[in-house]
């Protein structure tokens, strides 16, 4: 709640007071979870495993996982990381603006050294490789062995695919421009209408504005944010749809296990699968747009051929390689992720040093996207993740996209007339399926097992490639 | 922050999630402050008292006070009170609507019995009478011996005074009505302008809306709320002025002692003195209104004789006894408080039982205000305080009003041309004085000592009576 407030409501000079509150809460939480007796209690519970039902066993497993992450790293290292990341993030903001990688280098080196140390400690405690221990923080059960295979397959596929798509799109007429003035009030009103249609419960959640959109709050009180560009309606619209995917996951978590570790959403990859499923699979979709385009026209009192479902769809499915991940289209986005995954894995393993990052970045980008960043600011310094110490997070974006495609492939089998539901704006069958297979399962299974229970198989890159080919080449 | 959010932002069905958060925080705070080692640490610090400077000594005293209040009452009694008050408040809402005192009686009796028990335990631990121990929660250092004298003096003065004022006002022309439509946006804008003029720093605070206005947040991030009646501009305006007085106190607390017990605002009486000083003494004042009336006219694009400073002033200083405390004018308000103070003191002492409350209420009201409540709903059931277990709180309202009058008497000596500053909208000299004498002193002294340091004498009802006579009879 304090994080949400920080992004939406906090007066500009109240950051210090908020920082003190967050630090105090973090300290209290750390003290609670690192109490000496907790290890004994967990061990005792494990020895009585047989009397627990499967949810209780999963809850114990998640308790142990949280406890391991919190206790594996000595308190002074945790504190050193926190300070180094804070400092590094400050210098990163400045250095990125000035495109000065050299100035930033020592800060990133310090962060990396500390994260390596932490990853090694976590790995030893959890019997995982250092990088897999970092992964486990964000995507429990995922391993680099599994991701390597999937991402390598995708890396082989993408360059040719992107080139084919661009060739095809070059032959087709460009979409009509969708310009105008779209008042944020009308955007918000349409966004809220669509959120409600999708199942968002405004008696247990809100929609507000922040610079960087996110879905926060707690189950029972979901706080979703967006930003409005009054010249570009579509980016805000799909942003709200994306966050609504996150929100509906949180809203669908089992009430029975609320505030218990097993009752929390499974990792970031599954979370991202829910947002991308709504954004990329369901709403960035001609069936859905057939339903939504008239609502858009009426919301802004506009009309014309540019507002046809087909034109909007053509608009949002244009593909072109670019430097910046957050601006990338659906087809080129995974290349940005594979690049980062490969480089951070090498960095954690000690096989790539920060000083060699610009060159390695440039090489990977040319290999995967056929372009070379014009500056470090538009290259290896564009993201906040590494300056902030968040190694092991990047792969979850593409794991999420692939998981979404795999889920939708199963959903289309179970709900053969999904398209006609979407054209009528009926989302109930879709979210009933997701509620049953994903939302209500919370952290009962590891991410791979959750997906296997839901679709009958673990993550399969073929289904994701199918989705991309069918959308962009047919 | 969660309390502010609860009143301003919380979705209607998110109360359960919020309740769980607040309960968890309360439990953590309770666990921290009742750690067995704390008593030893306090005793050890007291034995080394000599090495502490006066602020540190005061900080230790406040730590001990907080610790005593938290540890004096056994955990099961704290929990029983919390449950009984929650239940009683629920039934009170229903019973008040239905004017059914009999149905409510057993709930209030249960609350009273538990509060008596708690007051006795606190009194024993702090060597105070049970009622004084309750007082100490809200107004540290105040005692019923001191309040008795002041309130009795006031009780002797008020009936004749009120009758004189009403006689005088009956002879004068009634104020012109101030009617119209006052859009909440324009009210908010004017309120913010005035808040800034008074010194509210919007980079460290906000103004929002809630059903019951309050000043919340933390030093460094003050969250003030109000409500707007679009037919009655004045009530909202003075409401904002009132809360701004609270806010400027919080904003003026010493940064050096932030988050330390001694760095917190002194009790509720001093807090109320700051809000009433701004509302009743400074802004409900002809000098101030001479400055503010043109701003009001321009804010709502209105004009006419009803918008003269004199008419507005006459409007807000009309006196008439009525049943409901929160609607009472400045002159009759203290009678409502004296009544409640006398009755709650008897109840805690076991000399008045809840079943006899309606009769006692009626007698006191006739004696003090010359009127008799038409119903219990408009009598002893009108306030949330007793159903909620808040005994010992009521006197702080009138102690605040008296303190405000006493402070302003000193301020007028130190700043002889205060009136001309107010007519020009210059508030700097006033708040410099308050900052130095009150705000920056935080909890360094007890309430009586703070007032003595600021004005040279402890609470003196003569100055308050002077204020009332000069405003209403001259």
């Amino acid at each position: 709640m304090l994080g949400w407030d920080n992004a939406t409501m906090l007066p500009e000079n109240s950051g210090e007071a908020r920082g003190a509150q967050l630090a105090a809460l973090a300290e209290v939480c750390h003290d609670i979870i690192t109490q000496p007796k907790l290890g004994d209690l967990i061990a005792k519970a494990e020895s009585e495993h047989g009397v627990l039902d499967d949810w209780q066993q999963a809850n114990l497993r998640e308790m142990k996982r949280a406890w391991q992450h919190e206790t594996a790293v000595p308190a002074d290292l945790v504190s050193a990381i926190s300070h180094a990341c804070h400092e590094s993030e400050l210098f990163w903001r400045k250095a990125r603006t000035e495109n000065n990688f050299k100035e930033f280098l020592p800060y990133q080196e310090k962060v990396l050294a500390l994260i390596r140390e932490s990853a090694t400690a976590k790995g030893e405690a959890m019997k995982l490789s250092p990088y897999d221990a970092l992964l486990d923080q964000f995507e429990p059960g995922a391993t680099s062995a599994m991701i390597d295979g999937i991402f390598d397959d995708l890396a082989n596929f993408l360059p040719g695919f992107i080139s084919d798509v661009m060739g095809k799109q070059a032959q087709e007429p460009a979409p009509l421009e969708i310009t105008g003035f779209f008042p944020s009030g009308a955007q918000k009103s349409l966004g809220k209408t669509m959120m409600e249609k999708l199942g968002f419960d405004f008696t247990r959640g809100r929609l507000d504005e922040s610079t960087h959109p996110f879905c926060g709050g707690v189950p029972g009180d979901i706080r979703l944010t967006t930003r409005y560009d009054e010249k570009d309606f579509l980016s805000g619209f799909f942003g709200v749809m994306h966050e609504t995917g996150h929100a509906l996951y949180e809203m669908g978590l089992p009430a029975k296990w609320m505030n218990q570790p097993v009752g929390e959403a499974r990792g970031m990859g599954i979370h991202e699968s829910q947002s991308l499923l709504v954004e990329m699979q369901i709403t960035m979709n001609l069936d859905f747009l057939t339903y939504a385009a008239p609502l858009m026209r009426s919301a802004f009192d506009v009309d014309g051929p540019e507002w046809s479902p087909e034109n909007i769809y053509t608009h949002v499915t244009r593909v072109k390689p670019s430097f910046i991940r957050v601006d990338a289209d659906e087809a080129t986005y995974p290349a940005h992720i594979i690049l980062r995954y490969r480089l951070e894995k090498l960095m954690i393993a000690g096989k790539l040093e920060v000083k060699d990052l610009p060159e390695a970045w440039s090489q990977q980008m040319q290999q995967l996207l056929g372009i070379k960043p014009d500056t470090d600011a538009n290259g290896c310094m564009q993201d906040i993740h590494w300056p902030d110490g968040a190694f092991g997070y990047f792969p979850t974006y593409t794991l999420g996209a692939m998981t979404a495609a795999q889920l939708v492939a199963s959903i289309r089998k179970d709900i053969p007339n999904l398209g006609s539901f979407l054209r009528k704006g009926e989302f109930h069958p879709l979210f009933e399926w997701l509620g049953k297979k994903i939302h209500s399962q919370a952290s009962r299974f590891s991410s791979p097992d959750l997906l296997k229970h839901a679709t009958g198989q673990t993550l399969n890159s073929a289904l994701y490639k199918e989705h991309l080919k069918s959308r962009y080449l047919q």
Side-chain angles (χ1 to χ4, degrees), chain A residues 88-405:
Chain A
S88 149
E89 193 195 312
L90 280 179
F91 276 87
W92 165 73
R93 289 190 192 280
K94 184 168 172 285
R96 189 182 57 161
T97 314
E98 298 165 358
N99 189 36
N100 189 339
F101 183 74
K102 261 202 180 141
E103 192 193 357
F104 175 55
L105 182 59
Y107 297 96
Q108 183 66 74
E109 280 174 336
K110 189 171 175 189
V111 167
L112 177 60
L114 293 167
I115 295 292
R116 277 176 183 158
E117 204 179 322
S118 162
T120 304
K122 288 191 178 200
E124 277 168 16
M126 307 178 77
K127 299 188 180 60
L128 293 171
S129 78
Y131 186 77
D132 284 2
L134 296 178
L135 261 184
D136 188 78
Q137 300 174 110
F138 307 113
E139 187 68 359
T143 62
S144 46
M146 171 201 111
I147 298 175
D148 281 345
I150 293 168
F151 278 14
D152 283 348
D153 177 52
L154 207 53
N156 287 331
F157 164 78
L158 280 176
F161 168 71
I162 291 168
S163 155
D164 289 350
V165 175
M166 289 177 68
K168 176 171 180 288
Q169 293 189 344
Q171 305 298 315
E172 295 164 352
L176 302 170
E177 285 208 41
I178 299 175
T179 55
F181 176 74
F182 309 104
S184 57
Q187 289 193 51
K188 180 170 187 176
S189 169
L190 177 62
K192 288 182 81 167
T193 302
M194 291 307 314
M195 286 167 70
E196 279 191 317
K197 273 278 172 195
L198 291 168
F200 188 93
D201 176 0
F202 275 100
T203 76
R204 295 172 193 274
R206 297 176 50 98
L207 170 65
D208 295 276
E209 290 173 53
S210 68
T211 314
H212 301 286
F214 65 92
C215 172
V218 295
D221 183 7
I222 299 299
R223 306 283 175 105
L224 187 157
T225 75
T226 191
R227 65 181 158 215
Y228 302 108
D229 181 342
E230 296 194 316
K231 287 182 187 159
D232 174 12
F233 149 68
L234 289 171
S235 72
F237 181 80
F238 288 107
V240 170
M241 295 298 94
H242 180 95
E243 301 305 335
T244 302
H246 283 305
L248 293 172
Y249 184 10
E250 291 285 328
M251 285 183 162
L253 292 170
K256 187 185 168 185
W257 293 98
M258 196 184 275
N259 297 326
Q260 289 289 317
V262 75
E264 290 177 11
R266 191 63 297 185
M268 295 314 301
I270 299 295
H271 231 309
E272 198 68 10
S273 82
Q274 296 308 292
S275 55
L276 290 174
L277 189 149
V278 171
E279 180 193 0
M280 294 290 183
Q281 301 280 338
I282 298 301
T283 63
M284 204 177 275
N285 172 306
L286 199 48
D287 288 318
F288 172 83
L289 288 170
T290 302
Y291 159 71
L295 296 176
M296 296 176 180
R297 292 196 293 264
S298 134
F300 304 111
D301 198 16
V302 291
D303 211 344
E306 72 272 31
W307 288 94
S308 73
E310 292 75 13
N311 187 62
I312 297 170
Y313 183 69
T314 310
H315 213 281
V316 295
T317 50
R318 296 295 279 185
V319 171
K320 191 180 176 205
S322 62
F323 298 140
I324 305 297
R325 174 183 62 86
V326 294
D327 298 334
D329 54 70
E330 184 186 20
T332 58
Y333 198 98
H336 290 269
I337 295 306
I338 294 170
L339 176 159
R340 286 157 177 76
Y341 167 71
R342 287 174 169 176
L343 300 185
E344 70 177 14
K345 206 158 59 94
L346 290 170
M347 283 192 278
I348 293 299
K351 292 176 185 163
L352 174 66
E353 294 306 325
V354 182
K355 68 175 171 47
D356 302 320
L357 191 52
E359 180 54 31
W361 187 284
S362 188
Q363 276 180 7
Q364 282 287 326
M365 182 142 258
Q366 287 177 79
Q367 185 189 322
L368 288 162
L369 281 174
I371 57 174
K372 194 179 152 170
D374 53 353
T375 62
D376 290 330
N378 286 336
C380 66
M381 287 170 77
Q382 67 183 267
D383 296 308
I384 196 178
H385 300 61
W386 292 339
D388 218 23
F391 290 80
Y393 190 102
F394 277 124
T396 67
Y397 292 111
T398 290
L399 293 175
M402 299 175 77
T403 301

